[in-house]
Amino acid sequence: MLAWTVDHTSPDHLSLREVPDLVPGPHDAVIQVQAFAPNHGDLEALPLLPDGTIPGWDAAGIVVAEAADGTGPRLGEVVTSLGPDSAWAQRRLVTAESVGIAPAGADPNAMSVVPVAATSALRGLRRLGPVLGRRILVLGGTSAVGLFAVQLAARAGADVVATTRNPAARERLAGLGAHEVVASPSELSEDVSGVLDLLGGSHLVQAFARLAPGGTLVALGHAAGEEEFFGYGDLFGDAGRHDRSLTTFFLGAEIALGPDMTWLATEIRSGRLDPVVTAVRPWHELPDVFTAGTERSYGKVVLTVG
Ligand SMILES: NC(=O)c1ccc[n+]([C@@H]2O[C@H](COP(=O)([O-])OP(=O)(O)OC[C@H]3O[C@@H](n4cnc5c(N)ncnc54)[C@H](OP(=O)(O)O)[C@@H]3O)[C@@H](O)[C@H]2O)c1
């Protein structure tokens, strides 16, 4: 089969080449990949992966062989599948734990964004506990994870505040369900009960300072690429700052994701969740997508696999 593989002799660390056929283990089904959606983390990891690795965490495709042990998706089902790695190829091995089942008629392009971006948003928000009637900050609202988090938190009944440095993106965030959009946590009109943080650095420290008593900050992403420095007193617990917590998150360590991925796929198919796809391109254009990275509009670029 053809696959994009890590190739450190190439300037973009990738080459599209013929690789040996997959050898399924007893729990593995085989999908024919129809579309994949690169993540920020996939791109960052490329220079660090060994030569020959097939990168990418997210892919949607149709099941062409069931697992020998009878587990997992059925022949002909369209699934959305989560890595690690192995997504940017014509075929991929998947297990029952790594897939969500797409409903009939689902668009594989839209399904390909579910695994990392949408599922991280869902699982990250769950860490905040019930959000109904609570004020929740999505720090980095225009990130792919943030665009899903804004929608899901609003659906769950939160009063959603989102951040973006870009004034032109405010309307988009409001359209997805943000009740308030600010450039940074220092501009918040009131404190918040929870924070889903996709930025890290000084943004995290500022947001922690705006947490109401009992509030939680989930440090999910670090898109700002900065270190975090807490000053003396930042972690005091007094009358206005009692019992605040900060927790880390890694999707790859979460378990039993299948039902959540199936639910997200169904929500997207039904039109209740915007898949935030901004462009669909043929997969041989993958390196161009990376080069154009900083110019792309907010959301996900999907590559269709021939
Ligand atoms: N822990 C996990 O399991 C997990 C899972 C998924 C993703 N992540 C991480 O989550 C983060 C977001 O990923 P993504 O793919 O959703 O990101 P993304 O789509 O690349 O978006 C990054 C966003 O961050 C903002 N940003 C970038 N640099 C910034 C800076 N210096 N200061 C303030 N804002 C800045 C930009 O927003 P504006 O231009 O609108 O300000 C941009 O929309 C990444 O760090 C990723 O690695 C972690």
Side-chain angles (χ1 to χ4, degrees):
M1 68 171 177
L2 272 177
W4 282 105
T5 58
V6 173
D7 174 2
H8 294 306
T9 64
S10 156
D12 38 49
H13 299 277
L14 282 171
S15 64
L16 184 60
R17 63 182 174 208
E18 196 67 34
V19 297
D21 276 343
L22 300 170
V23 182
H27 314 301
D28 296 326
V30 184
I31 65 167
Q32 184 180 319
V33 176
Q34 295 166 304
F36 61 79
N39 297 293
H40 183 101
D42 295 328
L43 309 191
E44 279 186 337
L46 278 181
L48 309 172
L49 292 173
D51 262 315
T53 307
I54 300 173
W57 278 53
D58 292 7
I62 187 162
V63 178
V64 291
E66 295 181 10
D69 67 358
T71 61
R74 303 288 100 190
L75 197 64
E77 280 183 326
V78 172
V79 299
T80 179
S81 67
L82 176 73
D85 299 325
S86 75
W88 302 348
Q90 287 180 314
R91 280 180 289 284
R92 182 185 212 188
L93 300 178
V94 302
T95 63
E97 290 76 34
S98 65
V99 296
I101 311 296
D107 172 12
N109 297 337
M111 295 298 106
S112 71
V113 305
V114 166
V116 169
T119 312
S120 296
L122 185 153
R123 286 292 177 101
L125 283 171
R126 289 228 183 105
R127 298 290 184 89
L128 299 178
V131 297
L132 179 64
R134 291 193 167 139
R135 195 167 149 79
I136 299 299
L137 174 64
V138 179
L139 193 52
T142 57
S143 66
V145 178
L147 293 168
F148 282 110
V150 166
Q151 297 182 70
L152 293 170
R155 283 275 303 278
D159 186 4
V160 182
V161 190
T163 67
T164 174
R165 297 166 301 174
N166 181 0
R170 289 180 173 223
E171 198 176 328
R172 170 107 170 99
L173 289 167
L176 292 175
H179 301 85
E180 185 181 339
V181 183
V182 294
S184 84
S186 58
E187 289 181 11
L188 286 172
S189 55
E190 291 168 47
D191 286 351
V192 294
S193 299
V195 180
L196 191 70
D197 175 20
L198 292 321
L199 301 180
S202 57
H203 311 274
L204 180 155
V205 177
Q206 284 177 27
F208 193 78
R210 301 306 308 269
L211 262 186
T216 299
L217 183 151
V218 179
L220 197 150
H222 310 276
E226 293 173 9
E227 293 177 73
E228 289 90 19
F229 296 103
F230 285 93
Y232 178 72
D234 285 350
L235 301 180
F236 277 12
D238 52 26
R241 299 180 290 177
H242 171 61
D243 194 26
R244 295 170 299 157
S245 57
L246 191 163
T247 184
T248 53
F249 177 92
F250 175 50
L251 183 68
E254 293 280 305
I255 58 167
L257 292 169
D260 284 342
M261 288 167 59
T262 298
W263 180 77
L264 289 162
T266 306
E267 292 304 290
I268 289 174
R269 170 73 181 101
S270 69
R272 289 188 290 266
L273 192 63
D274 183 333
V276 303
V277 173
T278 57
V280 178
R281 311 264 297 266
W283 75 318
H284 64 264
E285 293 182 9
L286 180 66
D288 303 339
V289 169
F290 296 167
T291 320
T294 49
E295 295 156 26
R296 72 177 169 75
S297 53
Y298 297 122
K300 300 285 294 183
V301 176
V302 171
L303 285 303
T304 54
V305 179

